């Protein structure tokens, strides 16, 4: 078979022009032996030219046109087998036939080329979809799966034969059914479901985190005839990100070591002194031992706070954001004192939120360390915690603001400070602190606003973190959680 096809391609020119002659001969034969077609010779030969142009090209169509003209002149028109025209009408009809044959043949060939190009593009698109690593499938308006690529087979574990014709809801966990119905309503209104993070179920019942986007499929009239979904497995990405977050959390705990050592050293010295006094003054020993017990309790409290940075509760709980802010400031009091940084605190209203206390400690620690590093000796740090509303949607929660009068962040760097491994501290930073902080804020359903100025009397950086009061944290699709603005630190602290 392959040898025959190779030989055919080698002699394709002979096949094309031979086919043109055969088409003219078939038209002549039909005219000769069919009484019905005998009255329509022009239609027969015109059809022969069109067929030749469509399947063999323009050159063979010209040959077929010339052969058809010769057949009409020699065989159809009287006197036959003579190149002399019997009347002026015959010559005009031949001229009109020749013009029409050339025009129609050219149009037919152009349409064939367009169809071949479109068919080639469709084949290429189909190959791209079929070979894509992402799961790509389509559904009918009723939610029945109509197509299923190899990426979907690898992601979900179902073969194409198993799912085509089945409802797409079979892929969603029970608690995600309302999400699917909402997506369906959005698509039926003609809108696109932008990429967001969710979960779906494999054939074996396990769950897989994915990024899902869905678009409506329309026909030429613009009517919705189905839906197209693209899903990407992000389980590996989540594992990598979680590993980086754990590393950043441990790095944060490591940075705390110096401050913790200093804070613990003071009460330990006090305990030694009190024990010495108790030995040498038995009459006040009970008082000295009571004071020593308080200092030991302080050490235990510091140790418990430190554990909160590296160990967290498995489920969200109620916490006081102002209290956590005070704990973080206490842990870094030595560093603040050594640089003679003036800390101004302003707490207003209820600061209760729901979340993971350890992660919120890490979040506030990252911003505080950055502020301390940016502020020069004798600088100022303003801290505010108060109940408020989010500017975007009016949601109630707690806003935590840290504003310093440090060196500021250049405008060219502001748009990248939340990218992983991007740092403005040169060799001193890892570039992970703000990236991890952004993930924590998004996990809690919050948002961040940042302002920075490198010159003038308002020089410095201000971060404003909003955490909603009543949302149970979870892995949600991030919206616009970062807002980089050019407002002053005075406007933030007012």
């Amino acid at each position: 078979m392959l040898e025959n096809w190779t030989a055919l391609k080698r002699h394709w020119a002979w096949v094309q022009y031979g086919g043109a002659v055969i088409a003219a001969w078939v038209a002549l034969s039909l005219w000769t032996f069919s009484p019905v077609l005998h009255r329509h010779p022009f239609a027969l030969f015109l059809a022969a030219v069109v067929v030749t142009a469509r399947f063999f090209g323009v050159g063979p169509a010209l040959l077929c046109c010339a052969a058809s003209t010769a057949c009409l002149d020699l065989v159809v028109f009287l006197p036959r087998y003579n190149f002399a025209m019997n009347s002026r009408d015959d010559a005009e009809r031949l001229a009109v036939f020749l013009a029409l044959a050339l025009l129609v043949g050219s149009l037919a060939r152009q349409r064939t080329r367009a169809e071949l190009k479109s068919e080639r593009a469709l084949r290429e698109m189909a190959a791209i979809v079929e070979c894509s690593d992402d799961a790509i499938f389509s559904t009918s308006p009723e939610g029945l799966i109509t197509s299923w690529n190899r990426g979907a087979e690898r992601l979900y574990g179902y073969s194409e034969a198993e799912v085509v014709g089945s409802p797409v809801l079979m892929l969603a966990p029970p608690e995600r059914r309302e999400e699917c119905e909402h997506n369906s309503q959005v698509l039926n209104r003609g809108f696109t479901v932008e990429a967001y993070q969710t979960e779906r179920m494999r054939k074996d019942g396990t769950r897989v985190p994915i990024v899902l986007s869905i678009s409506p499929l329309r026909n030429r009239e613009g009517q919705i005839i189905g839906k197209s979904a693209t899903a990407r497995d992000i389980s590996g990405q989540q594992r990598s990100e979680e590993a980086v977050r754990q590393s950043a959390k441990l790095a944060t705990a490591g940075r705390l070591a110096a401050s913790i050592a200093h804070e613990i050293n003071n009460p330990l010295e006090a305990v030694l002194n009190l024990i010495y006094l108790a030995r040498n003054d038995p009459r006040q020993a009970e008082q000295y031992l009571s004071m020593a017990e308080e200092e030991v309790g302080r050490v235990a409290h510091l140790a418990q706070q430190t554990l909160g940075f590296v160990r967290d509760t498995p489920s969200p709980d109620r916490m006081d954001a102002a209290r956590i802010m005070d704990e973080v400031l206490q842990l870094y009091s030595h560093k603040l004192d050594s640089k003679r940084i003036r800390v101004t605190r302003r707490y207003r209203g209820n600061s209760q939120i729901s979340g993971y206390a350890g992660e919120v400690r890490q979040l506030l620690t990252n911003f505080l360390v950055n502020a301390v590093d940016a502020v020069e000796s004798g600088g100022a740090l303003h801290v505010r915690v108060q109940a408020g509303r989010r500017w975007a949607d009016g949601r109630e929660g707690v806003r935590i603001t840290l504003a310093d009068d440090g060196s500021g962040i250049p405008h060219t760097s502001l748009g990248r400070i939340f990218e992983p491994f991007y740092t403005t501290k040169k060799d001193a930073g890892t570039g992970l602190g703000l990236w991890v902080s952004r993930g924590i804020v998004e996990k809690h359903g919050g948002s961040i606003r940042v302002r920075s100025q490198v010159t003038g009397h308002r020089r410095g950086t201000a971060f404003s973190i909003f955490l909603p009061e009543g949302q149970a944290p979870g892995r949600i699709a991030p919206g616009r959680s970062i807002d980089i603005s050019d407002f002053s630190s005075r406007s933030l602290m007012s």
Side-chain angles (χ1 to χ4, degrees), residues 325-359:
M325 188 74 252
D326 279 336
E327 292 175 353
V328 173
L329 288 170
Q330 179 185 355
L331 290 174
Y332 282 90
S333 59
H334 172 62
K335 195 169 186 179
L336 292 166
D337 293 339
S338 65
K339 295 188 71 172
R340 293 181 286 109
I341 297 175
R342 303 184 307 277
V343 178
T344 304
R345 311 184 197 194
R346 185 183 300 175
Y347 300 159
R348 294 177 180 175
N350 180 24
S351 57
Q352 292 287 326
I353 57 175
S354 178
Y356 300 93
E359 292 191 357

Side-chain angles (χ1 to χ4, degrees), residues 207-451:
R207 301 191 179 203
V208 55
I210 62 171
V211 169
L212 178 67
S213 61
I214 316 175
S215 303
L217 296 176
R218 302 177 184 272
N219 58 15
R220 293 182 178 179
E221 289 74 28
Q223 298 173 340
I224 298 176
I225 58 173
K227 305 155 191 174
S228 174
T230 302
R232 175 173 296 176
D233 183 1
I234 59 170
S235 55
Q237 175 185 337
Q238 280 193 352
R239 287 192 295 270
S240 300
E241 290 181 354
E242 188 60 30
V244 173
R245 288 190 180 96
Q246 291 299 326
S247 299
K249 185 179 289 188
L250 292 174
T252 302
R255 290 197 302 266
L256 286 171
S259 297
I260 294 298
H262 181 272
E263 293 296 328
I264 290 178
N265 185 58
N266 289 336
L268 286 179
E269 288 182 357
V271 169
L272 292 174
N273 293 331
L274 289 167
I275 291 175
Y276 174 80
L277 292 174
R279 284 177 177 174
N280 291 277
D281 190 358
R283 291 174 298 179
Q284 298 187 26
E286 184 176 352
Q287 179 183 356
Y288 293 144
L289 291 176
S290 177
M291 295 173 63
E293 185 179 3
E294 291 179 2
E295 293 298 326
V296 171
R298 182 183 170 192
V299 172
H301 180 66
L302 289 172
Q304 188 65 29
Q305 282 183 293
T306 307
L307 288 175
F309 284 91
V310 293
R311 184 178 62 196
D312 212 348
T313 57
S315 59
D317 199 1
R318 300 292 295 175
M319 58 183 165
D320 190 332
R323 181 179 177 181
I324 293 176
M325 188 74 252
D326 279 336
E327 292 175 353
V328 173
L329 288 170
Q330 179 185 355
L331 290 174
Y332 282 90
S333 59
H334 172 62
K335 195 169 186 179
L336 292 166
D337 293 339
S338 65
K339 295 188 71 172
R340 293 181 286 109
I341 297 175
R342 303 184 307 277
V343 178
T344 304
R345 311 184 197 194
R346 185 183 300 175
Y347 300 159
R348 294 177 180 175
N350 180 24
S351 57
Q352 292 287 326
I353 57 175
S354 178
Y356 300 93
E359 292 191 357
V360 174
R361 286 191 187 94
Q362 183 185 6
L363 167 71
L364 299 180
T365 297
N366 288 337
F367 285 113
L368 179 63
V369 169
N370 287 341
V372 172
D373 291 342
V375 174
E376 297 178 356
S377 180
L381 174 65
H382 303 278
V383 179
R384 183 182 70 181
V385 180
Q386 71 171 22
R389 295 178 179 271
R390 181 155 48 192
W391 295 293
D393 54 13
R395 183 162 194 166
E396 294 184 353
V398 174
R399 185 170 299 282
I400 306 169
T401 304
L402 292 92
D404 63 67
D405 60 355
S407 57
I409 303 172
H411 182 72
T412 53
S413 300
L414 268 180
R416 301 187 59 193
I417 58 175
F418 291 96
E419 295 179 6
F421 304 107
Y422 182 82
T423 178
T424 59
K425 298 181 182 180
K426 298 182 179 179
D427 297 333
T430 62
L432 293 174
L434 289 180
W435 175 71
V436 171
S437 299
R438 176 179 182 172
I440 293 173
V441 170
E442 290 177 349
K443 180 178 178 179
H444 285 75
S447 57
I448 307 174
R449 296 188 75 184
V450 53
R451 185 283 309 172

